[in-house]
């Protein structure tokens, strides 16, 4: 071989090595099995998950991926996957099944409020066709009302998304988005029995710019709920039932100043849920809920299809009258169809002190789910207008 050919061959070889290194720097994979996870469903794999996360998070790369492989079940105790990460985007790819400790006793001695927590991350991508099973049934009959155990917690994350995963049987809320900006949740299914208490599907709190779409939720509490200090929220293409519907609130529970605005709910199908489109606020709350649209909703045998309640209380009627409230204004209900189980299909129970203003109805056709029965609207202190055909007849004051 001539010297020239040798040099070219050497350069070519170096280039191949270099480009290989480059591609591994651009996209790296961290399989929890390589960090000691057994995936037998009974061994504690928490440490392996944390180590795989640490490795993925601290790698300076474009895309870093933690892999939870298929056909295995991983028992994981409450863990926190924290940022900030050196990786620009970090994917938590769930192909197998992650299960929580089966007994509430197993949570003792650890902070039990949150199970899987993702904290302070930019560019987090939770995806895959796998299952997250909180195995929360042991909690559901505990006496305390707000028992711990929120399943998937996205805290202080930006530019993040959740795709395709299945979340089930959380002790409490299934997916919590809190203190976050630019979160997109899509194609997720959530399942818990209709009788399980406080098992909200997705709860958004203190966050802005959140999309939730193409989701299928059956649970024991709200399918989606929107809490205090939230803005620019799009919720669309939702199948809800069993469950308590899509709820803005409860808001202002602690007497705090509520700021909730630009909430857009569209294309939702409520199947035998207790509520449909709901806004609920505590009398002690202050502040506002404004610029809300509920549109293209279909109700199948829903107990209370449309409900605004400014007298929300743990036990209905037991909170004494307060001279305060969260101002609810500019709320549009447009294109609502279907059937109501209760005789009051539209209930707007607004405050004597802080009335609801700018409530709009546009094309509403609600009938009784019971043959031969009629439905009505009920209003107190609700101001606004109706457009096009509205059935039952509205009771708004101008
Ligand atoms: C990162 O992932 C995205 C989506 O999977 C892909 O489009 C992009 O090419 C990846 N970037 C690199 C550097 O691997
Ligand atoms: C997982 O199980 C399915 C069905 O048994 C099989 O087709 C697939 O190859 C398995 N995957 C792995 C990685 O073992
Ligand atoms: C990866 O991160 C960069 C920088 O934060 C961002 O611009 C890009 O959109 C991200 N890519 C993906 C696929 O998330
Ligand atoms: C998210 O964005 C906010 C500003 O909007 C910034 O203060 C915060 O550090 C960001 N968080 C992460 C994890 O990048
Ligand atoms: C998230 O990860 C999944 C699986 O790797 C990938 O298909 C998808 O493109 C990623 N999306 C983004 C925005 O990074
Ligand atoms: C709660 O449910 C668990 C399992 O479903 C059962 O073992 C336990 O005895 C129940 N506790 C109470 C107080 O009913
Ligand atoms: C939400 O969806 C809209 C429309 O698909 C898109 O333009 C927007 O960027 C998304 N927002 C986030 C935070 O992902
Ligand atoms: C909500 O959807 C609208 C229309 O699809 C889009 O313009 C807007 O940016 C979305 N909002 C968020 C927070 O992504
Ligand atoms: C509605 O719920 C019932 C059970 O409550 C179920 O049998 C039915 O398939 C659901 N309908 C749709 C369209 O999902
Ligand atoms: C929301 O409400 C505020 C106050 O009424 C108003 O200034 C704003 O233009 C409204 N609309 C949007 C899309 O933010
Ligand atoms: C009322 O809210 C809608 C969005 O739901 C917004 O487009 C409109 O600008 C708001 N009007 C006022 C007067 O704030």
């Amino acid at each position: 071989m001539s010297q020239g050919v040798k040099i070219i061959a050497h350069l070519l070889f170096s280039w191949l090595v270099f480009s290989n290194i480059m591609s591994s720097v651009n996209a790296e994979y961290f399989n929890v099995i390589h960090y000691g996870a057994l995936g037998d469903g009974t061994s504690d794999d928490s440490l392996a998950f944390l180590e795989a996360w640490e490795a993925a998070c601290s790698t300076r790369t474009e895309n870093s991926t933690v892999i939870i492989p298929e056909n295995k079940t991983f028992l994981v105790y409450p863990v926190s996957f924290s940022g900030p990460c050196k990786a620009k985007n970090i994917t938590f790819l769930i192909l197998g099944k992650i299960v929580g400790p089966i007994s509430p006793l197993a949570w003792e001695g650890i902070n039990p409020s949150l199970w899987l927590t993702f904290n302070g991350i930019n560019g987090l991508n939770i995806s895959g066709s796998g299952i997250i099973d909180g195995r929360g049934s042991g909690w559901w009959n505990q006496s305390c009302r707000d028992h711990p155990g929120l399943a998937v917690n996205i805290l202080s994350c930006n530019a993040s998304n959740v795709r395709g995963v299945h979340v089930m049987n959380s002790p409490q809320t299934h997916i919590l988005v809190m203190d976050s900006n630019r979160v997109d949740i899509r194609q997720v299914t959530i399942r818990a029995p209709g009788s399980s208490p406080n098992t909200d599907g997705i709860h958004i709190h203190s966050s802005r710019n959140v999309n939730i779409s193409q989701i299928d939720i059956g649970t024991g509490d709200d399918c989606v709920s929107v809490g205090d200090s939230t803005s620019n929220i799009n919720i669309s293409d939702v199948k809800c039932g069993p469950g308590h519907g899509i709820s803005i609130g409860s808001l202002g529970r602690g007497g705090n100043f509520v700021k909730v605005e630009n909430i857009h709910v569209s294309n939702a199908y409520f199947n035998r849920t207790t509520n449909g489109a709901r806004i609920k606020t505590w009398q002690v709350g202050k502040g506002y809920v404004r610029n809300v649209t509920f549109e293209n909703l279909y109700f199948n045998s829903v107990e209370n299809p449309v409900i605004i309640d400014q007298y929300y209380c743990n036990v209905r009627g037991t909170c004494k009258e307060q001279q305060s409230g969260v101002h609810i204004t500019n709320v549009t209900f447009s294109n609502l169809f279907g059937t109501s189980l209760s005789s009051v299909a539209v209930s707007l129970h607004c405050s004597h002190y802080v009335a609801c203003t700018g409530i709009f109805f546009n094309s509403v056709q609600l009938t009784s789910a019971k043959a031969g029965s009629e439905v009505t609207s009920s209003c107190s202190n609700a101001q606004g207008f109706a457009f096009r055909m509205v059935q039952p007849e509205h009771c708004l004051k101008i």
Side-chain angles (χ1 to χ4, degrees), residues 261-262 290-291:
E261 66 185 321
N262 301 339
R290 69 189 183 201
N291 304 2

Side-chain angles (χ1 to χ4, degrees), residues 282-295:
W282 294 74
Q283 287 183 73
V284 291
K286 299 177 227 5
Y288 57 83
V289 176
R290 69 189 183 201
N291 304 2
V292 176
T293 305
F294 286 100
E295 67 182 340

Side-chain angles (χ1 to χ4, degrees), residues 89-254:
N89 304 284
I90 186 157
T91 298
F92 201 82
L93 183 61
I94 305 170
L95 300 172
K97 186 170 181 178
I98 303 175
V99 297
I102 198 151
S103 161
L105 295 175
W107 295 61
E108 269 176 20
I110 26 190
N111 175 358
S113 62
L114 308 170
W115 178 33
L116 304 175
T117 300
F118 297 87
N119 195 345
I121 304 152
N122 198 28
L124 169 70
N125 179 5
I126 301 173
S127 65
S129 53
I131 296 172
I132 298 171
D133 184 351
R135 299 200 293 187
S137 64
W139 294 101
W140 298 336
N141 57 8
Q142 305 268 310
S143 56
C144 53
R145 188 184 143 86
D146 292 313
H147 59 68
L150 288 78
V152 178
N153 303 282
I154 298 171
L155 312 181
S156 305
C157 291
N158 295 337
S160 295
N161 61 48
V162 182
R163 289 277 185 285
V165 293
H166 308 278
V167 188
M168 60 200 279
N169 299 325
S170 175
Q172 219 214 78
T173 297
H174 286 77
I175 299 179
L176 169 70
V177 176
M178 192 160 149
D179 300 326
S180 296
N181 184 15
R182 290 191 289 135
V183 175
D184 192 300
I185 299 178
R186 246 181 248 190
Q187 290 143 9
V188 166
T189 63
I190 294 176
R191 287 281 179 279
S195 57
S196 58
N198 299 322
T199 51
D200 281 11
I202 302 175
H203 181 65
I204 307 164
H205 199 96
S206 303
S207 296
R208 62 206 159 96
N209 303 317
V210 178
N211 280 344
I212 295 179
S213 62
Q214 299 164 41
I215 54 168
D216 183 347
I217 301 182
T219 188
D221 206 315
D222 297 330
C223 287
V224 181
S225 58
V226 174
D228 293 339
S229 301
T230 46
S231 60
N232 302 343
I233 314 291
N234 273 344
I235 300 168
S236 63
D237 302 308
V238 179
K239 211 175 140 191
C240 171
H244 295 184
I246 297 178
S247 183
I248 297 178
S250 66
L251 304 172
R253 183 181 190 158

